[in-house]
């Protein structure tokens, strides 16, 4: 009996030793970080740590501080890095090298038995983004124009462009799934032109089920139409059939289409009648274009500028439409707004929320954004009288009620007039930091950012001068706040005529620029 008990004890100890040995963790190792480079003062983000030897008890240390860590598998962890961890103050004690990089130490700790600390891998921070050299999109059409660029989490990138050749108006969708490392372009629209025609303005929106809607403005044989097509493969291809929110003999100057949910597609446009009086109109389809509501006229005062600001609160479905009009009694221009809280069935009476100082002040080309707390912010070009050298970009910041605004000057540029001042590009990240892309009269792009509610602005990338730039441009941010932009450039080509002589001609082609890693 005693011998049997001794054998049992020995076997139990051996089994316990094996079990403990099996539970001993490996020393973790880090191979890579995604992303590996950002700029200071960005919003918080998720850092993906890849390597080996990770366990459910592994913790990522970022700049010496243990961070909330999610275990995906033995080779991948995800850690939440808050905004406060990458502010200038948070990294002020770290060394900055000669190229302006700040290296933040990152390592993984796995507790005993076994385990330990991994080697340190550096996460890089800069005070400004640096941009890549422009890359020509894989599109070979004449006279491209009106680019739009969009991004989605996970590397999704979408670029829309128009082009005109001798017989057709065409539109292209350029798609990337890896932040623009590879780009694939597909022709998604082709309309025959028997008379002078043009496509102006493309828009892309998508619903919660990733159904994409492409809308564009088209002019043919004296008629203006807004057409739309649907894609269920992430904007790679679109249905041949189209929906048509509006068709009119009067000139449509500007429009915007947005969706709410999987079926509601809202369209707003500015249209000028035979007397040159501009109005804002709106309609909605609730069955993906099979039928439309009656058209609603939004504004009551004639437009002073054709550009429309159109936003939808994705949390509540509230619709906000804004525009520039002139008060006939005072002659003062201002930004007016109207809202709908019943998904576009009715709209509130227009309210003037921003006004010029006098009748000589001009407000043009407004843009806006709806913050995460439901407040509207605006920016616009403004100048006094005929003195276009006084042109400046101004912004309006709402109070907590959203009814009173304070104005701030962003910057001033000389050399523009009402017709040549470019559209503003204003983009907002998920922490309500605001990014401006501005172009001066020398085709130099300026990148400004505000992280304090539009009180102050700093540059977030060095200014860039793009030679042979032609007019149109657009900017977006990826989920890490990195800027990407598309712009149009004149490109010269050589060919031979029918007699064999070399001739030189130029096309306007789209180019893509992203952030350097």
């Amino acid at each position: 009996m005693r011998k049997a008990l001794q054998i049992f004890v020995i076997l139990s100890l051996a089994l316990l030793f094996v079990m403990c040995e099996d539970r001993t963790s490996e020393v973790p190792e880090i191979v890579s970080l995604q992303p590996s480079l950002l700029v200071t003062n960005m919003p918080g983000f998720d850092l993906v740590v890849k390597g080996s030897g990770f366990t459910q008890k592994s913790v990522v240390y970022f700049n010496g501080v243990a961070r909330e860590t999610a275990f995906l598998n033995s080779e991948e962890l995800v850690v939440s890095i808050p905004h406060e961890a990458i502010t200038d103050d948070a990294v002020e004690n770290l060394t900055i090298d000669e190229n302006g990089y700040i290296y933040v130490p990152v390592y993984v700790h796995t507790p005993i038995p076994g385990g330990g600390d991994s080697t340190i891998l550096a996460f890089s921070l800069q005070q400004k983004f640096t941009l890549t050299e422009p890359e020509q999109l894989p599109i070979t059409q004449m006279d491209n124009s009106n680019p739009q660029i969009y991004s989605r989490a996970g590397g999704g990138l979408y670029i829309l462009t128009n082009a005109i050749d001798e017989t057709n108006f065409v539109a292209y969708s350029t798609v990337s799934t890896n932040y623009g490392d590879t780009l694939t372009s597909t022709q998604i629209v082709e309309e025959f032109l028997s008379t002078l025609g043009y496509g102006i303005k493309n828009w892309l929106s998508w619903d919660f089920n990733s159904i994409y809607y492409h809308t564009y403005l088209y002019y043919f044989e004296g008629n203006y139409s807004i057409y739309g097509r649907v894609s269920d493969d992430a904007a790679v291809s679109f249905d041949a059939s189209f929906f048509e929110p509006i068709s009119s003999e009067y000139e449509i100057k500007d429009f915007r289409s947005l969706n709410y949910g999987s079926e509601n597609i809202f369209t707003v446009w500015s249209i000028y009648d035979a007397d040159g009086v501009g109005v804002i109109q709106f309609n909605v389809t609730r069955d993906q274009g099979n039928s439309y509501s009656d058209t609603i006229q939004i504004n009551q005062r004639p437009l002073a500028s054709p550009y429309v600001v159109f936003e939808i609160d994705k949390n509540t479905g509230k619709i906000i439409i804004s525009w520039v009009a002139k008060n006939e009694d005072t002659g003062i221009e201002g930004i007016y707004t109207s809202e709908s809280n019943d998904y576009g069935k009715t709209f509130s009476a227009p309210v003037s929320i921003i006004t010029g100082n006098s009748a000589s002040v001009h407000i043009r080309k407004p843009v806006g954004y709806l913050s995460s707390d439901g407040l509207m912010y605006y920016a616009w070009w403004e100048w006094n009288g005929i003195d276009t050298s006084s042109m400046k970009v101004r912004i309006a910041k709402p109070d907590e009620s959203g009814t009173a605004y304070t104005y701030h000057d962003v910057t001033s540029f000389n050399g523009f007039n009402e017709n040549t001042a470019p559209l503003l590009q204003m983009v907002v990240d998920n922490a309500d930091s605001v990014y401006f892309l501005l172009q001066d009269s020398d085709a130099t792009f300026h990148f400004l950012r505000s992280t304090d509610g539009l009180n102050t602005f700093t540059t977030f990338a060095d200014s860039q001068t793009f030679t042979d730039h032609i007019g149109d441009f657009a900017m977006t941010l990826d989920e890490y706040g990195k800027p990407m932009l598309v712009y149009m450039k004149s490109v010269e080509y050589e060919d031979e005529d029918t007699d064999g002589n070399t001739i030189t001609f130029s096309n306007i082609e789209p180019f893509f620029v992203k952030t350097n890693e």
Side-chain angles (χ1 to χ4, degrees), residues 11-277:
L11 290 175
S12 297
L13 290 172
L15 178 61
L16 180 62
F17 175 79
V18 171
M19 291 175 65
C20 290
E21 186 175 48
D22 286 344
R23 291 177 182 176
T24 300
S25 302
E26 300 178 31
V27 176
E29 286 298 329
I30 302 179
V31 174
S32 66
L33 304 173
Q34 177 62 38
S36 59
L37 170 67
L38 287 179
V39 297
T40 55
N41 302 307
M42 297 296 294
F45 65 99
D46 286 340
L47 178 66
V48 179
V49 180
K50 295 185 177 181
S52 62
F54 302 151
T55 73
Q56 292 187 354
K57 294 183 178 180
S58 296
V59 177
V60 175
Y61 281 72
F62 186 90
N63 198 16
V65 178
R67 299 295 178 183
E68 181 181 347
T69 304
F71 174 81
L72 297 186
N73 54 60
S74 62
E75 298 180 344
E76 193 167 1
L77 303 172
V78 177
V79 57
S80 297
I81 307 299
H83 161 75
E84 292 76 18
I86 56 172
T87 62
D88 290 331
D89 290 341
V91 299
E92 63 179 353
N93 294 324
L94 298 177
T95 302
I96 303 178
D97 72 8
E98 66 276 8
N99 296 315
Y101 288 95
I102 303 169
Y103 296 108
V104 182
V106 178
Y107 68 93
V108 174
H109 173 75
T110 302
I112 57 174
D117 295 338
S118 72
T119 55
I120 292 175
L121 199 61
F123 179 86
S124 300
L125 285 173
Q126 287 180 297
Q127 293 180 319
K128 294 180 182 179
F129 286 117
T130 56
L131 302 178
T132 61
E133 289 296 316
E135 175 186 355
Q136 187 169 356
L137 296 186
I139 297 172
T140 55
Q141 283 287 349
M142 297 172 57
D143 297 339
N144 286 268
S145 64
N146 182 49
Q148 299 292 337
I149 184 169
Y150 306 85
S151 63
R152 293 197 73 174
L157 176 68
Y158 310 95
I159 302 172
L160 297 176
T161 55
N162 290 341
I164 300 290
D165 62 21
E166 293 179 355
T167 58
N168 295 289
F169 155 65
V170 294
Y172 282 86
S173 170
T174 299
V175 178
S176 175
T177 58
N178 51 17
Y179 303 99
D181 289 343
T182 56
L183 299 163
T184 302
S185 295
T186 305
Q187 181 176 301
I188 56 175
V189 170
E190 181 174 10
E191 303 286 0
F192 178 72
L193 302 175
S194 62
T195 62
L196 175 65
Y198 57 88
I200 56 174
K201 291 274 188 185
N202 281 294
W203 294 109
L204 185 71
S205 64
W206 50 83
D207 63 25
F208 306 122
N209 299 315
S210 292
I211 301 297
Y212 289 71
Y213 306 98
H214 168 231
T215 47
Y216 60 98
L217 175 60
Y218 178 64
Y219 172 78
F220 180 65
E221 293 186 339
N223 208 60
Y224 295 82
S225 296
I226 297 173
Y227 289 159
R229 284 180 165 87
V230 179
S231 170
D232 59 5
D233 59 4
V236 174
S237 62
F238 287 79
D239 292 345
S241 59
F242 58 82
F243 55 92
E244 187 177 8
I246 178 64
S247 180
S248 174
E249 63 179 303
Y250 297 126
E251 184 176 8
I252 298 174
K253 290 280 193 177
D254 190 23
F255 88 100
R256 182 80 186 266
S257 284
L258 292 173
N259 69 282
Y260 182 75
S262 60
E263 293 184 343
N264 296 306
I265 306 173
F266 306 104
T267 304
V268 61
W269 61 92
S270 63
I271 188 168
Y272 284 70
D273 64 20
D275 297 324
V277 177

Side-chain angles (χ1 to χ4, degrees), residues 28 94 114 121 211 270 333 424 436 456 488 501 514:
L94 298 177
L121 199 61
I211 301 297
S270 63
E333 294 181 2
L424 301 175
F436 279 104
T456 60
M488 296 303 175
N501 299 315
K514 66 174 186 174

Side-chain angles (χ1 to χ4, degrees), residues 335-412:
I335 295 179
Y336 290 74
T337 189
S338 178
E339 299 180 358
S340 174
N341 290 297
D342 54 10
Y343 308 105
K345 295 178 182 177
T346 60
F347 281 84
S348 63
V351 176
S352 175
I353 56 172
I354 295 165
T355 58
N357 295 327
S358 68
S360 62
V361 172
H362 300 285
I363 296 174
R364 292 293 183 272
K365 300 182 178 180
V367 293
Y369 84 89
L370 186 65
S371 69
S372 58
D373 53 5
L375 299 176
M376 278 294 298
Y377 293 72
Y378 296 91
W380 64 91
W381 283 102
E382 182 177 304
W383 72 97
N384 196 332
I386 62 173
D387 180 16
T388 54
S389 65
S390 66
M391 291 191 76
K392 57 188 175 183
V393 175
R394 305 198 78 192
I395 57 97
K397 176 185 175 182
D399 63 8
E400 293 183 358
S401 69
T403 57
Y405 282 80
T406 56
Y407 307 161
H408 303 271
D409 293 344
V410 178
T411 188
S412 298

Side-chain angles (χ1 to χ4, degrees), residues 484-496:
M484 297 179 285
L485 65 105
V486 59
Y487 73 99
M488 296 303 175
K489 175 181 176 180
S490 178
V491 180
E492 288 193 349
Y493 296 94
E494 288 188 350
D495 201 352
E496 290 187 355

Side-chain angles (χ1 to χ4, degrees), residues 272-498:
Y272 284 70
D273 64 20
D275 297 324
V277 177
V279 296
I280 304 293
Q281 295 180 339
F282 168 93
N283 70 12
V284 57
T285 174
R286 307 188 192 280
D287 53 14
Q288 293 191 345
N290 292 313
S291 62
Y292 284 88
S293 67
D294 293 336
T295 296
I296 300 174
Q297 181 168 320
I298 304 298
N299 65 313
Q300 298 170 348
R301 301 179 185 276
L303 298 180
S305 173
Y307 297 96
V308 180
V309 176
F310 184 27
E311 294 287 345
I312 297 177
D313 189 327
K314 293 294 186 179
N315 295 317
T316 65
K318 180 174 71 173
I319 299 171
I320 303 173
I321 301 174
S322 306
W323 63 93
V324 178
K326 179 182 289 188
N327 186 312
E328 298 97 321
D329 298 328
T330 64
I332 295 177
E333 294 181 2
I335 295 179
Y336 290 74
T337 189
S338 178
E339 299 180 358
S340 174
N341 290 297
D342 54 10
Y343 308 105
K345 295 178 182 177
T346 60
F347 281 84
S348 63
V351 176
S352 175
I353 56 172
I354 295 165
T355 58
N357 295 327
S358 68
S360 62
V361 172
H362 300 285
I363 296 174
R364 292 293 183 272
K365 300 182 178 180
V367 293
Y369 84 89
L370 186 65
S371 69
S372 58
D373 53 5
L375 299 176
M376 278 294 298
Y377 293 72
Y378 296 91
W380 64 91
W381 283 102
E382 182 177 304
W383 72 97
N384 196 332
I386 62 173
D387 180 16
T388 54
S389 65
S390 66
M391 291 191 76
K392 57 188 175 183
V393 175
R394 305 198 78 192
I395 57 97
K397 176 185 175 182
D399 63 8
E400 293 183 358
S401 69
T403 57
Y405 282 80
T406 56
Y407 307 161
H408 303 271
D409 293 344
V410 178
T411 188
S412 298
F413 289 124
N414 294 327
F416 286 129
N417 58 47
E418 179 177 1
N419 297 318
T420 61
L423 293 176
L424 301 175
Q425 296 291 319
M426 182 167 68
V427 185
V428 185
D429 65 24
N430 58 15
D432 281 343
S433 294
V434 183
Y435 300 76
F436 279 104
L437 175 59
L438 303 170
Q439 176 203 340
D440 66 20
S441 56
D442 296 323
T444 298
F445 289 87
H446 303 271
F447 303 85
L448 301 177
R449 176 181 66 179
S450 175
T451 60
D452 60 2
L454 299 180
N455 291 316
T456 60
F457 289 86
T458 58
T459 58
F460 68 91
D462 289 329
S463 298
Q464 299 280 328
T465 300
F466 297 124
T467 57
D468 299 319
H469 164 59
I470 305 293
D472 297 335
F473 60 90
M475 178 178 70
T476 190
L477 306 173
D478 69 16
E479 69 259 43
Y480 302 113
K482 296 180 180 179
M484 297 179 285
L485 65 105
V486 59
Y487 73 99
M488 296 303 175
K489 175 181 176 180
S490 178
V491 180
E492 288 193 349
Y493 296 94
E494 288 188 350
D495 201 352
E496 290 187 355
D497 62 17
T498 55

